[in-house]
Amino acid sequence: MDKTPKQQPTEISHLQMRAIQAPIAACLIKEFAKTVGFEKALEVATVAIRSDALTAGKRMAEKLGSNTLKDLARLVREFWSKDDAMTVEFLVETEQNLHLNVTRCEYAELYRKLGVLELGYCLSCSRDDPFVKGLNSQIQLVRTQTIMQGAAYCDFRFIVCA
């Protein structure tokens, strides 16, 4: 019988996960773009990434055993913002509404440093809506701007729809 202690998996932050994924995804998108064109490659990548995000939202709801706006606020604070990945200003927190602005985004800085800022929205921001739908199909995300696309801040408005 092996008595070697089992190593616990190392938990990495959301930002670290994106830093690992981005170079691989960017390389694939750029190579596909040589064959099908940049817009089509980006479109296909976005569909795949959004599908993955929907599944991730469902898994997160199962893991948490709950899927309220309070849970989502906790995810923003403890998961998406871990390692100082974002500066978030919470504006409204009720059972029906969660409104926040992201005023600093290290995800955008990561993609800028990697030289793939033009892919940043696809790789990160496009995940937000399907993730939330996977977490709770009754929550709607309304967002009109992102730092990734050049705005001064990201405006997240999560609303529970009956």
Side-chain angles (χ1 to χ4, degrees):
M1 180 180 215
D2 183 10
K3 298 205 181 214
T4 307
K6 300 255 188 226
Q7 269 193 315
Q8 292 298 319
T10 304
E11 187 175 320
I12 64 171
S13 72
H14 197 247
L15 182 62
Q16 290 169 320
M17 185 172 20
R18 295 289 171 259
I20 293 166
Q21 294 170 337
I24 298 163
C27 177
L28 288 169
I29 293 168
K30 287 177 179 183
E31 284 300 312
F32 289 136
K34 290 177 184 176
T35 302
V36 299
F38 181 76
E39 293 304 318
K40 186 64 174 175
L42 196 59
E43 178 186 325
V44 172
T46 301
V47 168
I49 287 167
R50 290 176 60 85
S51 176
D52 178 68
L54 181 70
T55 301
K58 290 176 182 177
R59 282 194 315 259
M60 185 59 74
E62 290 172 11
K63 180 179 177 181
L64 294 174
S66 180
N67 62 355
T68 65
L69 281 181
K70 183 176 181 177
D71 297 313
L72 182 57
R74 185 173 144 225
L75 286 172
V76 170
R77 286 183 172 99
E78 298 175 11
F79 187 63
W80 291 351
S81 299
K82 187 176 178 176
D83 289 344
D84 200 30
M86 299 186 307
T87 300
V88 181
E89 177 183 284
F90 286 84
L91 306 171
V92 176
E93 284 187 77
T94 68
E95 289 183 18
Q96 298 297 312
N97 293 280
L98 173 62
H99 298 182
L100 57 98
N101 291 337
V102 173
T103 57
R104 184 188 55 78
C105 177
E106 282 300 311
Y107 297 95
E109 284 305 308
L110 165 69
Y111 298 123
R112 181 177 286 112
K113 288 175 189 170
L114 292 173
V116 295
L117 185 59
E118 74 281 7
L119 302 177
Y121 187 89
C122 167
L123 298 174
S124 280
C125 305
S126 72
R127 297 180 61 86
D128 297 337
D129 184 58
F131 177 87
V132 170
K133 288 287 182 241
L135 182 74
N136 182 333
S137 64
Q138 297 300 307
I139 299 175
Q140 177 184 4
L141 167 60
V142 176
R143 182 177 57 204
T144 64
Q145 61 186 29
T146 66
I147 292 170
M148 199 77 71
Q149 295 174 305
Y153 63 93
C154 307
D155 60 340
F156 287 82
R157 305 300 181 255
F158 299 101
I159 304 156
V160 175
C161 301

